[in-house]
Amino acid sequence: MAVEIKVPNAGESITEGTVARWLKPDGAAVKQDEPVCEIETEKTLIEANAPASGILKIAVAEQTVVPIGAVIGTIDPSGSGAAPAAVPAPANHSSAPAAPQPSATTEPALAPAVRRLVAENSIDPASIEGTGRAGRITKGDVLEKMAQPSPAPAAPQMPLAAQAEPKPAAPPATEGRETRKRMTGIRQTIAARLVEAQQTAAILTTFNEADMSRIMEIRAKYKDAYQKKHGVGLGFMSFFVKAVVEALRAFPAVNGRIDGNELVFHNYYNIGVAVSTERGLMVPVLRDADQLSFAQIEKQIGVFATKAREGTISVNDLQGGTFTITNGGVFGSLLSTPILNPPQSGILGMHTIQKRPVAVDDQVVIRPMMYLAHSYDHRMIDGKEAVSFLVRIKECVENPERLMLEI
């Protein structure tokens, strides 16, 4: 009897997903618990695994929207001994070439985003040396492999005098001057939440600037010792997470939200850190950030970065934030007005560090300065609180000793 492959549960509030990609062709022999399909939901990418060993039968074409729990294929256990003589093409067959299938003993474990990149570029995973945890192949490993020069091809033979040289292949046909592409589930969710934030919240933004001299001096002085002791680099984000927690303690309304006619004040500090990925902006959450050390914050951010590159961020990683930090400075942004991440009432925008002349003790000096932006929901937070909150962050960043001494 055939065993059904169902869309797995993707977390609370997620009711449907899109069959993004079949990892095995119709009629292929698969093993129990082997990933056979990628399902894209509004928040993340999940895999559907084979419930048994046998022959795969695809029932739902790629790019089809299906509810959670829906049957998208079956496994025939009676065919587990050998693959069928002819393998039919899957419904709505993708134009991307199939990924090379190394033997079961050598096939490396690949994250969905890595597997897709390998397949689209016809790269044998066995030829890539993984640098991730336990030798796992990361997206960076694949991109580095793609950047390596290909072996020089053998010199072509001169064509015979009577033999016509082959004509170059015609360029792919285009449809007019526009290209249309279906929005992914995550992109649709991002769009909906941005519109929701603009329509339901009274968003204002206040600005300030911070002198980054002290933090840069500390990082330069202790970076080697810090790396040696903790096994992770000391970045800017851990300082800002600590500064935000300190400011939220002083101004609790910024750490709250509106629920109907009630103001909800959170007595915990779950700080979201915006991460840009190929599939859109994601905001994984540092839970109970007030209880984390600098090193723990840096390590957790590193874990989130790896998950983002490999497409393995889970729904749980993205839920429960009470305040968000976004760093447009990594892309060169000098100043911006970040938009709220509903239902949160505040977000801090970091920007690029730029040396500028500033007045210090009545003297004009050159200092590394960063513009800071605090967007807030004016329904929840008064202007005085919003401005004072940002000033507190500025004070903590310019005097990082206060963060370490908690004063």
Side-chain angles (χ1 to χ4, degrees), residues 140-161:
D141 297 331
V142 181
L143 295 175
E144 183 176 353
K145 177 70 174 178
M146 294 169 58
Q148 294 176 357
S150 303
Q157 296 181 350
M158 294 296 292
L160 300 176

Side-chain angles (χ1 to χ4, degrees), residues 52-370:
S53 298
I55 301 301
L56 170 67
K57 177 62 177 178
I58 294 175
V60 176
E62 293 177 353
Q63 304 307 315
T64 301
V65 177
V66 290
I68 298 299
V71 177
I72 57 175
T74 58
I75 299 293
D76 180 7
S78 64
S80 59
V87 179
N92 192 24
H93 181 65
S94 172
S95 60
Q101 300 297 324
S103 65
T105 58
T106 61
E107 182 177 2
L110 302 179
V114 176
R115 188 183 297 112
R116 183 185 301 111
L117 189 61
V118 166
E120 291 176 350
N121 293 276
S122 300
I123 299 175
D124 183 359
S127 67
I128 304 175
E129 182 177 354
T131 61
R133 183 177 301 177
R136 187 182 181 94
I137 296 175
T138 67
K139 186 177 178 182
D141 297 331
V142 181
L143 295 175
E144 183 176 353
K145 177 70 174 178
M146 294 169 58
Q148 294 176 357
S150 303
Q157 296 181 350
M158 294 296 292
L160 300 176
Q163 183 179 12
E165 295 188 15
K167 296 182 179 180
T174 58
E175 299 180 3
R177 301 173 65 179
E178 296 180 348
T179 301
R180 290 181 178 268
K181 183 178 179 181
R182 180 181 175 276
M183 291 179 69
T184 64
I186 287 180
R187 176 57 60 184
Q188 292 180 49
T189 300
I190 292 173
R193 289 175 67 86
L194 291 177
V195 172
E196 175 191 354
Q198 294 279 28
Q199 292 180 343
T200 61
I203 303 177
L204 293 181
T205 305
T206 183
F207 302 93
N208 213 313
E209 62 179 351
D211 185 345
M212 301 295 292
S213 298
R214 287 294 296 127
I215 289 181
M216 295 178 72
E217 289 170 4
I218 291 174
R219 294 179 70 236
K221 184 176 181 179
Y222 296 107
K223 65 177 181 180
D224 293 336
Y226 192 90
Q227 176 74 42
K228 183 177 181 180
K229 180 175 181 179
H230 299 290
V232 65
L234 179 60
F236 291 107
M237 187 58 74
S238 55
F239 286 94
F240 277 92
V241 170
K242 286 291 188 179
V244 163
V245 168
E246 177 63 25
L248 291 176
R249 282 175 171 154
F251 303 96
V254 185
N255 197 41
R257 61 184 172 88
I258 292 180
D259 184 11
N261 294 324
E262 295 182 332
L263 303 179
V264 180
F265 297 88
H266 301 296
N267 299 319
Y268 56 92
Y269 306 93
N270 288 354
I271 309 302
V273 179
V275 177
S276 179
T277 73
E278 288 185 344
R279 300 172 61 240
L281 187 70
M282 297 183 180
V283 187
V285 177
L286 293 166
R287 302 187 184 281
D288 296 315
D290 57 314
Q291 301 177 25
L292 302 178
S293 66
F294 280 77
Q296 289 172 325
I297 291 173
E298 293 293 350
K299 289 178 181 178
Q300 188 59 55
I301 291 175
V303 170
F304 288 149
T306 299
K307 286 185 174 182
R309 288 195 301 268
E310 297 181 351
T312 58
I313 286 183
S314 68
V315 174
N316 186 59
D317 291 330
L318 305 174
Q319 292 180 334
T322 61
F323 186 89
T324 295
I325 303 175
T326 181
N327 185 7
V330 296
F331 304 111
S333 172
L334 183 62
L335 188 63
S336 65
T337 54
I339 191 169
L340 295 180
N341 183 20
Q344 298 170 23
S345 297
I347 182 172
L348 175 70
M350 300 166 56
H351 299 88
T352 192
I353 299 174
Q354 186 180 68
K355 289 186 176 181
R356 296 196 296 272
V358 294
V360 177
D361 296 330
D362 295 329
Q363 298 291 324
V364 176
V365 296
I366 303 297
R367 292 291 175 84
M369 305 297 293
M370 175 190 287

